[in-house]
């Protein structure tokens, strides 16, 4: 796969010169790289659909800190140029994900009652870890900025990607932010 990148880049450069652009207002057609974040770190692939409408599809193949597993996220994004800054774009979008994890950290509430005034309840939180495998699915939002480096085939981006997840009967809402670097062609 990595051996094919120089050939693809040369082909993409010749198409850019002949067509006057990369098929989108972003200055590139496709980018492949790495995303480093709190809950989602891994591979990112972004491809702009044909035309100058700024619509892109992004796929993330990620894992998270302390998780033994993988997550696949698919996002649809709308890109808008930031005025007076060539190469800078604001984008937003939504999508979904599915993944599999082995092991999880969680709190197990244990309730203890005592005969005090007004029937008070004490709750003790017990921090636990298990080794079972879980399937997780969820919905994602994304909001970000990316900058196409002038005269270099790279895009640097920063994003905020909150997501809702359901796994083994549990639900959770997570806030994720990341920095991405993609090679463009």
């Amino acid at each position: 796969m990595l051996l094919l990148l120089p050939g693809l880049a040369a082909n993409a450069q010749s198409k850019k010169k002949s067509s006057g652009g990369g098929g989108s207002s972003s200055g590139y057609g496709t980018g492949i790289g790495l995303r480093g974040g709190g809950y989602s770190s891994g591979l990112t692939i972004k491809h702009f659909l044909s035309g100058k409408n700024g619509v892109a599809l992004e796929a993330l193949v990620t894992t998270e800190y302390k998780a033994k597993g993988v997550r696949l996220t698919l996002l649809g994004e709308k890109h808008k140029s930031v005025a007076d800054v060539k190469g800078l774009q604001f984008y937003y979008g939504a999508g979904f994900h599915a993944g599999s994890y082995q092991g999880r950290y969680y709190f197990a509430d244990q309730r203890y009652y005592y005969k005090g005034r007004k029937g008070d309840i004490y709750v003790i939180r017990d921090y636990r870890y298990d080794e079972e495998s879980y399937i997780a699915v969820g919905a994602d939002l994304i909001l970000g900025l990316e900058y196409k480096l002038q005269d270099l085939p790279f895009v640097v981006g920063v994003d905020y990607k909150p997501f809702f997840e359901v796994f083994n009967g549990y639900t959770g809402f997570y806030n994720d932010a990341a920095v991405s670097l993609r090679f463009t062609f």
Side-chain angles (χ1 to χ4, degrees):
M1 175 77 178
L2 291 176
L3 296 174
L4 297 175
L5 286 178
L8 289 171
N11 186 25
Q13 292 295 328
S14 66
K15 285 182 182 178
K16 272 187 194 175
K17 289 177 184 172
S18 64
S19 69
S24 73
S25 62
S26 67
Y28 70 98
T30 302
I32 298 175
L34 297 175
R35 178 181 197 272
Y39 284 105
S40 302
S41 295
L43 179 67
T44 172
I45 302 170
K46 185 180 286 195
H47 178 73
F48 283 86
L49 302 179
S50 63
K52 300 256 182 201
N53 58 5
V55 175
L57 296 176
E58 184 172 7
L60 304 171
V61 179
T62 59
T63 188
E64 65 184 63
Y65 179 67
K66 291 189 178 180
K68 298 174 189 170
V70 67
R71 178 188 302 133
L72 174 63
T73 305
L74 298 173
L75 300 163
E77 301 170 352
K78 177 69 175 169
H79 288 246
K80 302 232 178 223
S81 295
V82 175
D84 300 329
V85 182
K86 186 177 180 182
L88 184 63
Q89 292 206 354
F90 162 78
Y91 63 93
Y92 57 92
F96 58 91
H97 69 270
S100 174
Y101 310 104
Q102 181 184 11
R104 70 182 174 102
Y105 291 95
Y106 65 97
F107 286 106
D109 288 344
Q110 297 176 354
R111 299 180 189 278
Y112 294 95
Y113 300 90
Y114 79 98
K115 295 183 192 258
R117 58 189 157 102
K118 298 183 184 178
D120 293 338
I121 300 172
Y122 286 112
V123 177
I124 297 174
R125 297 202 112 184
D126 185 17
Y127 192 61
R128 296 183 184 178
Y129 179 78
D130 69 25
E131 286 288 333
E132 294 185 38
S133 292
Y134 297 95
I135 300 294
V137 295
D140 300 72
L141 297 173
I142 192 162
L143 179 67
L145 282 172
E146 71 176 26
Y147 179 70
K148 169 70 173 84
L149 298 173
Q150 302 300 314
D151 300 325
L152 293 174
F154 292 100
V155 170
V156 177
V158 61
D159 66 64
Y160 169 64
K161 189 178 77 62
F163 63 94
F164 176 78
E165 190 166 72
V166 177
F167 60 97
N168 195 35
Y170 297 97
T171 60
F173 182 79
Y174 304 93
N175 291 298
D176 189 22
V179 175
S180 300
L181 177 65
R182 292 185 206 89
F183 173 79
T184 63
F185 50 95

